[in-house]
Amino acid sequence: MNSLRLVFSFIILLFLSGVSSAEEHTIYVGTEDNPYVFSDASLVISPGDNVTFIWTPGQPHNVAQVESSTSNLFVANGDIVFFYSGDPVDGATWVLNSSYTQDEGTLYYICEPHVGLQMRGQIVIESRPDMTMDFGSFPWLSYLLVFPVIGAIWCFAFRNNPEAHKYIALATTLFTLIISCIVFVRAGSGSGFRLMEEYEWAPNLGVSLLLGVDGISSPLVLLTGIIGPLTVMFSWHEKEKPALFFSLLMIMQTALYGVFITLDYFVFYIFWEVVLIPMFFLIAIWGGENRRYASIKFFIYTFTASVIMLVGFMALYFEAGVNSFSMIDIANNSSGFSREFQIWVFAALFIGFAVKIPSVPWHTWLPDAHVQAPTAGSILLAGVMLKMGLYGLMRAALPPLPIGAEVFVPLMVALAIISIIYGAVLSLGQTDLKKLVAYSSVSHMGVALLGVATMTELGFAGAVFMMFAHGILSPAMFMVAGVLLHQLGTREIPKLGGIAQSQPKTTGLFVVIFMGSLGVPGMAVFVSELSVFIAFFESHGYWLLLPIFGMVLTAGYHLWALQRAIFGELNENVDVEKVHEAPWYEMYPMFILIFIAAFFGIFPHYLMDPISVSSYDILDFMGVV
Amino acid sequence: MDSTVLFLPELILIASILAIPAIYIATNNTKSYSICSNISLFVSLLVVILFWYSPEDVSFDKSSSSYVIYDHFVINDFSQLFKVIFLMSALAVSVISSSYFKEDEPHQAEYYVLLLSSSLGMLITASSNDFLTIFVGIEISAFSSYGLVAFRKTDDKSAEAGAKYLLIGAFSSALTLYGISLLYALTGSITFDGVNAFLTGIDNGVIEGDFNELVFISSLFIIAGLGFKIAVVPFHAWAPDVYEGAPTPVTTLLAAASKAMGFVALFKVFIFTLEPFSDEWRLVLGIIALVSMTIGNLAALSQKDIGRMLAYSSIAQAGYILIAFPALTQDAVSGAIAHTLVHAFMKGGAFIVVAGVGAAGLGYDIESFKGLAKRSQLLALSMTICLLSLVGLPPLAGFISKFLLFYGVLQVGVAGETWIIALVVAGVLNSALSLYYYLNVIRFMYLYDPEESSDVVFSTSIRYTSVLVILFIVIIIPLFYQDLYSLCEAAARDLFA
C-alpha cells in the first residue's frame, strides 16, 4: 500500500515539476562588470513568450519602453500602452508578460536614469516558423509503442501464474505513464511537431513510420498514459483469463498511442483499425449478457466507416502527388485541391471520424458497446477511444481540406447541437447507469465537435480540452457504475437508492465525480465548455442558446441520477450488508481522476498553452486566421 | 548451358509423376507417395527460386529480363513469381494430405500423381507464351483436378462435385477454345506477341478493316471460359458445390492455386494480348467485378457450410481482383497480382484449418467451429488471422495487398475515369459487408464452448503448416511489403512489355 502511494506521489510530482508553458527568457539589468547595460541587449523571442528582467544589485534602474532605438523619453500616451517597470529601484525582478509580445515587431526599451550612458536594449519578436519538424535525439515516441507490446507478451507468457500478470501489467502501464509524462513535458507548448522520428517502411510508396507530437496530441498521449494503470487497477481482481485480459489492454494502449503520434496516413489507418481488434475481444469475451451482439455491431459499424475513410486518404495521396503518405507533406502540397475534390474527400473522412466521435446519427453502436463492455473496456472506450474521431478530424482532415471543412461547418454545427441535446435527453430517460454515461458521452463529445465547428482558436482549444476532460471524468463515471455493480450486482437506478449512509467516503467521491462531469467550475469540463461556448457565441451568436439548453439538461440528468441512485430513502431492493466503502483499488483510481480533473480545472493553462498554440497552427495553416 | 535446364522445375515434377506408380508397385506404404511428392515439389520450388535469383548459373541474360523459348515458353519475373506460389500451395496441400487421409484410404498413389500433374499444368500455364500452350497447361491442371475432386468416389458429394466440375470445366474449355479460334482466324497467329502485334496494327490503322465486333465476341468467349476457372458471377455456380464436396486438401488447391492459375491466364490474355482493344472488354470486366463481389458477399452471409462460405468469399475476392482489369495500368495490375498471391495464402490457410477440423472428425459446418479456441488455440488463431486478413484488416497481409490493389485502381479513377472510383468504393464497402460472416466464424470459435467435451487431436503437420501461413500473413508480408510491391511491379512490367 505504502509503496503504491509513493509511486503515485512520485508521478504527481514529476507531473508538476517540469510542465512548461510559453517559453521563458531572462534579461539581466546590469551585469557584474558593467552596471549600465542590459544583457542580452538584443533578444529574439517568439510571439507569446514571457521575458523576465532581473536586476543585478548596485544601481537603481528601471525598464521603460520607448518608440525607437534613438528615443530617450518614456511616453505612455495614445492608444498604445507601453510597458514600464515603475520608478527606478535597486535589485528587483519584473516580468514583461506575454500580452506585450503577441505581435511581430521590435520593442525598444531604455533605463530612464541611465539613458545618457546608452543603457538601452531591444526585444525582437519574430513570427513562429512554418510547421517545424524537430527530430528528437531520443526515441521517446517509439518507446511508447514498444513498451506496452513487450508488457503484453510478457504478461501472456506468465498466463499460468495466478498473480504475476497483474503486477506486470501495472508495472508496464506505470512505466508507459512516466514516458507519456516525459513526452508531454518535452513536447512543451511551442509550435510545430516535436520529438519526431522517422523509420522507412516502403519508400516506393512513400510510407514511413513518421512519429511526432504537437500541442494537440501531447495531451491525448498523457491521457492515454493516465488511463492505462487505472484500468489495470480497476480490474485488479479479474477472474476470467486475466493474463489475456491485461495483454489485450496493453495492445490496445499501443494502438491508441499509435493513433495519436503517427503523422503518416497509412500508418495512422493501420493503428486506427488495430484498436478495434483488442476492443472486440474485450467486449466479446468479458462483456455482459448481450456481448455477442454488441461486439459484432461495434466492429462492423466502425470498420465500415473507416474503410470509406481509407479511400479518402488514398485520394488525398494521389491528388497531392508527392509520393508520400506523410500528413505534413500532403498538407504542404494541398494548395491545388479543387473545391469539388475537397468536398468529396472531406465527406469521406468525416463519415469515418463522425462514427468514432460518435455524433448523432451514427452513435447507436456506443450505448451497446458501453453497456456490454467490462468496466475496464468502457473506461478505455470512453476515456481514450472516443477521442480518436475528433483528433483524426483535426489532424488528418482539416489541414489539407480547408474549403471542404468550411462547407461542412453548418452540418457539423447542426450535428453537434443535436448530439448535445439528444444525448442529454436520452440520458434523462436511462435507468442503467452505464447507458446514462454512454449517452452523456455523446452529449459531451457534441460539445467538442461544436468547438471544432467554430473554426476558431478558442473553439479548437476548448474541443481538445474537452477531449482531455471527458477522458478523465467519464472513466470516473464508469468507475462509479463499476463500484455499484461489484457491490450490489446491478446498475439499474430504480434498484439503487439510499446507500449514501453506508458508504460516506465513497459517496463523497461519487458526488465530486458527478459534479465534475456536469461542469461545475473548478473542474476540467467547465473550462472546456466555457471556451467552446464563448467561441461559438463569437462565431454564431445567439444560436448559443441551444447548446446552453443542453447544459441545463446535463445538470438535470446528473443530479437526478445521483439523487435517485445514491441518496434518498433506502431502497428495499438494496441489501445493506453488501454496501461498504470501495476497496483501495477502486477508491484510488477515482481519487486520482478527481485530482487530475480538479488540477486542470484550476490550472488550465498547463494544457491550454500547448493546445492553443497548435490550434492556432492548424487554423493558420488552413488560412482561417 | 543447355536451355533444357530452364524446364527443370517441370521436369522434376514429371519425373516424380512417373516415379510414384513405380513406388506403388514396389511398396504398399502410403507414406512413401506423399514423401516422394513432398520432396519433388520442394526441390522444384528450390530450383525455381534459385534460378530466379541467380540466373547467370543457367546462362540467363538478366538484362533482357525474360527468356523465351521458341516463342511458346517464357521465363520471366511474372512466371517465376506465380510458379513459386503454385509450388508453395501444392507443397502445403501435399503435406496436409498425408495427415488428412487415413492410412487405409484407397488410391493414394493416384491422388499424389494427380496432385503433381495438376501442379505441372499450373507451371506450364505460368510460363505459356501462346494460346495453345496456355490451353494445354490449363487443361492438364483441370483434368487432374476433376479426378482429385471426385477422389472419394464412394462419397456421393465428392462424386457429384466431380461430375459437376467435369461438365462445367469441359464447357468452359470449349468456350475458351472457340474464342481463341476466332482470334486465330482473324490474326493468323497463335502466339500472344503475334496476336498483340496484329491487333495493335488494326488499332493504329496499319491494317485496314473494322474488326471491333469480332474481337469483342472472341473476348466475350474467353471471358466466359476463364470466368468459369476463376469463378466469377455469372459463371460461379459450380464453385460452392465443388468446394463443399471435394476433399478439403483438394479444395485448398482449387482455392489457392487453381484460382491463381485462372488469373494468370486472364492477365496474359487481357492485360497483354487484347490490350489494344481494351475499350471492347473493359466495361464487361468492370461489371463482372462489381456483380461478383456483391453477390459473392451477399450469398456468403447465409451459408451454413464453411466450405460453401469460403467459396462465396472466393467469388467476392475474385471480384476485387478483377477491378484492376478495367483500370489497366501497371500499378493497378501489380496490385491485382499482389492480391492474387496473398489470396492464395489467406484462402489456403483458411482451408488448411478447415481440413484440420474436418480430419479431426468435427465436421464441416460453421457450427463445428464452436469452441475451437478451447480445443486448439493455434488453429483458432490461424483461422482468425486468415479470415481477418481476407477482410483486409490492417496490418495483415490481406490489407497490404488490398491496399495496393485499390491504390493502383483509384489512381486511374482520380486521374479522370470516374466510373472506376465507383468500383473501388464498391470494393471497400463490400469488404465491410464481408466482415459480418467472417466475424461469425470467429465468434463461434472464441465465444462459445465446444458442444462435446471429448478430447480432439489435431494433426501435427496441419498445425505446423498453419504456423507457416500465419508467419507469412502476419509478419513476413507486412514487414517486407515494399519487396512484395517490387516483385509484383516487376511481374506487371513483364505483362506490359
Side-chain angles (χ1 to χ4, degrees), chain A residues 156 201-207 241 244 266 269-274 276-277 280-281 284-285 291-293 295-296 299-301 303-305 307-308 310-312 314-315 317-319 323 325 341, chain B residues 374 377 384 388 391-396 399-400 402-404 406-408 410-411 414 421 424-425 428-429 431-433 435-436 439-440 442-443 446-449 478-482 485-486 489:
Chain A
F156 197 67
W201 188 5
N204 288 1
L205 287 169
V207 175
K241 298 183 193 161
L244 186 61
F266 187 86
Y269 180 77
I270 288 184
F271 282 119
W272 181 274
E273 295 288 44
V274 168
L276 299 182
I277 300 172
F280 169 76
F281 283 107
I285 300 181
R291 56 180 190 264
R292 287 168 188 154
Y293 167 76
S295 55
I296 288 201
F299 205 142
I300 291 179
Y301 231 95
F303 182 76
T304 311
V307 286
I308 299 173
L310 177 66
V311 177
M314 286 200 249
Y317 168 83
F318 291 126
E319 197 72 7
N323 190 31
F325 275 95
F341 173 84
Chain B
K374 293 220 168 61
Q377 283 282 357
T384 308
L388 289 181
V391 182
L393 202 75
L396 304 172
F399 165 70
I400 301 285
K402 219 180 236 184
F403 177 84
L404 292 175
F406 290 158
Y407 161 91
L410 194 66
Q411 198 169 22
V414 172
I421 298 181
V424 176
V425 172
V428 295
L429 288 180
S431 307
L433 176 65
L435 185 63
Y436 179 76
L439 271 188
N440 205 26
I442 296 173
R443 196 172 65 129
Y446 283 95
L447 309 188
Y448 288 83
D449 289 328
L479 208 57
F480 299 102
Y481 92 88
Q482 168 87 32
Y485 180 69
S486 339
E489 218 182 13

Side-chain angles (χ1 to χ4, degrees), chain A residues 72-85:
Chain A
N72 292 343
L73 279 178
F74 167 65
V75 275
N77 57 349
D79 294 328
I80 313 156
V81 180
F82 286 92
F83 63 73
Y84 187 52
S85 69

Side-chain angles (χ1 to χ4, degrees), chain A residues 7-23:
Chain A
V7 170
F8 279 115
S9 39
F10 172 71
I11 289 165
I12 291 164
L13 268 179
L14 191 90
F15 199 11
L16 289 175
S17 58
V19 184
S20 66
S21 55
E23 277 182 66

